[in-house]
Amino acid sequence: MHVSAKDLVFAIYYPVLAAIGLPANLAVIVILSRGRCGLSRCITYYLVSMAVTDLLVMIIAVILNRMAGIYFPVSFLSITPLCSLRVVLYFAAIDSSVWLTVAFTFDRFMAICCQKLKIKYCTEKTMVWVIGTVCILSCLKNIFWYFIYEPVYIISNIPWLCSLKLIFYTSAAWIAYDWIHRILNPCLPFILILLLNALTVRHILAASRARRRLRAHSNGENQSDREMEKRRNSIVLLFAISGSFILLYLLHVITFLYVRIAKLSYFSGSNFNKSNFILEEGGYMLQLLSSCINPFIYAGTQSQFRVELKKGVKYPKSLIVKLFK
C-alpha cells in the first residue's frame, strides 16, 4: 500500500507527541501538586491548571482527533455528531490552555509591577475564580462549532465524518464568528502577552537602575536585592512560557490572516503541496507541540522541580528493590 509523505509525517509526529506529552504533563501535575518546588501557591495553581488543560489537549486533540483519524479513519468517532463534539472539545481545551497562559502572565505582571494591587489580586480566591471563569467561558464560546459541520457521507441513514458547511465561508454571521474566534485565540493573547511582558521588562529595568543607585550609597546586601533574587526564578519561568507560546502559535496566526485575506478555504487535504494546507497543518502541529513543551521549561528553569522529578524517576526502582528484599 502506497503511503504519502504527508501521511507518514503525521503517522510519526502525533504518536511521538502523545508519548511525550501525556507522561510529561502528568508528571507536572503530580510534582507541582505536592508543593515542594519553592513556588508560591498562586503560581503552583496556575501551572497545575495549565498542565491539566495541556493534558486534555493531548487526549482530545492528539489522540482522539489526530491519531484516531490516522489509524482508525472509520470508527464510531467518525459519526458526524461525535466528530462535531470532538471539534468543540478540542477548541475548548486549546482556548483554556491559551487563556490560562495569559492569566498566569497577568498574575506575574501584577505581582512584579503592581505591589499595591498585588495584595488584592494575587490571592488563592482570585486565582480559583479566574481559572474557573476561563474554563467555563472557553466551553461556552466553542459550543457554536457543533452546528457548522455537515456529514461527508450518509450510509444507512448514519452521517459520517465532518465537513465545514459552505455557509461558513459566505455567511456574515459565521465569518464574524470565525474572526472573533481567531481574535480571541490566538491574536488577542499574542498582544496581551507581548504587552504584559514588555511592561514587566520595563519595570525590572527601572528597578535594576534604582538598586544600582542604592547600592552605590550602601555597603553589603539590601532587602530589595534579596527580594529580586527570590523573584528571578518566576521571571525566567514567565518569559520562557510566554516566549514559547508566541513562537509556537505564530504560524497559526499567519494561517488565519492568510486564509481570510486571500479568501481561501481552511482545509485542502487532497493536495499536500497547496500553501494553505501546509500553513494550516504546520500551524496545528506547532500549536499542539506547545501543549507538551511547558514540562521541559519547568525542568530547565526550576532546580527544585528537577530534584522532585529525579525522585519520581527513582521511586519505582527503590520500590522494586524494597519488594524483593
Side-chain angles (χ1 to χ4, degrees), residues 6-70:
K6 172 193 69 173
D7 295 332
L8 184 60
V9 169
F10 295 160
I12 296 174
Y13 179 78
Y14 290 114
V16 170
L17 191 64
I20 297 174
L22 283 174
N25 282 298
L26 280 172
V28 168
I29 294 170
V30 173
I31 292 173
L32 293 182
S33 296
R34 300 178 68 186
R36 298 178 181 178
C37 293
L39 300 172
S40 70
R41 290 181 64 85
C42 283
I43 294 178
T44 299
Y45 274 53
Y46 273 118
L47 297 185
V48 169
S49 65
M50 290 161 61
V52 170
T53 55
D54 286 340
L55 182 64
L56 291 176
V57 171
M58 289 291 107
I59 295 172
I60 297 169
V62 177
I63 297 177
L64 295 182
N65 278 1
R66 298 292 169 156
M67 290 177 59
I70 293 171

Side-chain angles (χ1 to χ4, degrees), residues 41-114:
R41 290 181 64 85
C42 283
I43 294 178
T44 299
Y45 274 53
Y46 273 118
L47 297 185
V48 169
S49 65
M50 290 161 61
V52 170
T53 55
D54 286 340
L55 182 64
L56 291 176
V57 171
M58 289 291 107
I59 295 172
I60 297 169
V62 177
I63 297 177
L64 295 182
N65 278 1
R66 298 292 169 156
M67 290 177 59
I70 293 171
Y71 293 101
F72 307 99
V74 180
S75 68
F76 74 97
L77 292 174
S78 302
I79 298 174
T80 303
L82 288 178
C83 179
S84 301
L85 179 61
R86 284 188 293 140
V87 173
V88 172
L89 294 176
Y90 164 77
F91 281 127
I94 289 289
D95 280 2
S96 296
S97 177
V98 169
W99 279 101
L100 285 175
T101 302
V102 176
F104 171 70
T105 305
F106 184 74
D107 178 83
R108 292 300 86 203
F109 165 76
M110 296 291 287
I112 295 170
C113 304
C114 307

Side-chain angles (χ1 to χ4, degrees), residues 1-8:
M1 182 178 64
H2 174 71
V3 179
S4 67
K6 172 193 69 173
D7 295 332
L8 184 60

Side-chain angles (χ1 to χ4, degrees), residues 136-263:
I136 292 173
L137 290 180
S138 295
C139 293
L140 293 176
K141 164 182 169 288
N142 291 291
I143 288 177
F144 298 98
W145 285 107
Y146 185 86
F147 304 101
I148 195 54
Y149 287 94
E150 62 183 2
V152 178
Y153 308 105
I154 297 179
I155 303 174
S156 300
N157 293 324
I158 299 177
W160 291 92
L161 303 179
C162 288
S163 177
L164 282 170
K165 296 177 181 177
L166 181 61
I167 194 175
F168 181 77
Y169 299 102
T170 58
S171 168
W174 280 113
I175 291 175
Y177 176 74
D178 187 42
W179 272 99
I180 293 172
H181 174 76
R182 305 293 174 172
I183 289 172
L184 291 178
N185 180 18
C187 296
L188 184 57
F190 247 70
I191 296 171
L192 290 176
I193 288 175
L194 286 173
L195 176 62
L196 291 171
N197 281 344
L199 293 174
T200 302
V201 168
R202 187 180 71 173
H203 177 85
I204 292 172
L205 292 176
S208 298
R209 288 193 295 267
R211 288 201 310 278
R212 284 195 295 269
R213 289 194 297 267
L214 181 62
R215 288 174 63 86
H217 298 86
S218 174
N219 293 323
E221 292 291 322
N222 56 70
Q223 182 62 33
S224 177
D225 285 328
R226 289 197 296 271
E227 181 66 21
M228 288 305 299
E229 184 66 26
K230 288 167 58 178
R231 293 180 184 176
R232 184 173 298 170
N233 283 343
S234 63
I235 292 171
V236 171
L237 182 64
L238 166 65
F239 290 164
I241 291 175
S242 56
S244 68
F245 168 82
I246 291 170
L247 290 175
L248 294 175
Y249 269 76
L250 181 60
L251 186 58
H252 192 60
V253 175
I254 294 173
T255 301
F256 164 68
L257 296 175
Y258 174 66
V259 167
R260 279 306 180 184
I261 293 173
K263 297 182 179 179

